[in-house]
Amino acid sequence: GMSWWMEQIALQLRAPVLQRIKVESVARDDNGNWRVDCNDESINAASYDAVCLTTPSWVSSKIIRDINPLA
């Protein structure tokens, strides 16, 4: 499924890519970067240039509900 796409993208990028993270929510910080809320404090403490969700749409809508309440 979608994990294959992410693995292929990760192979092409020069920056580290975190995969298989159970994300509770994502939000934008004051600088426009992404913040991720999950069960790993080191991930929660960082900010990210991009976030790609490879979850079913009903799961993604719950993850992005704070940035898009209509999702």
Side-chain angles (χ1 to χ4, degrees), residues 1-3 21 23 52-64 71:
M2 292 298 289
S3 63
I21 306 298
V23 174
C52 183
L53 301 176
T54 59
T55 54
S57 59
W58 62 271
V59 174
S60 296
S61 70
K62 291 178 182 179
I63 293 171
I64 65 167

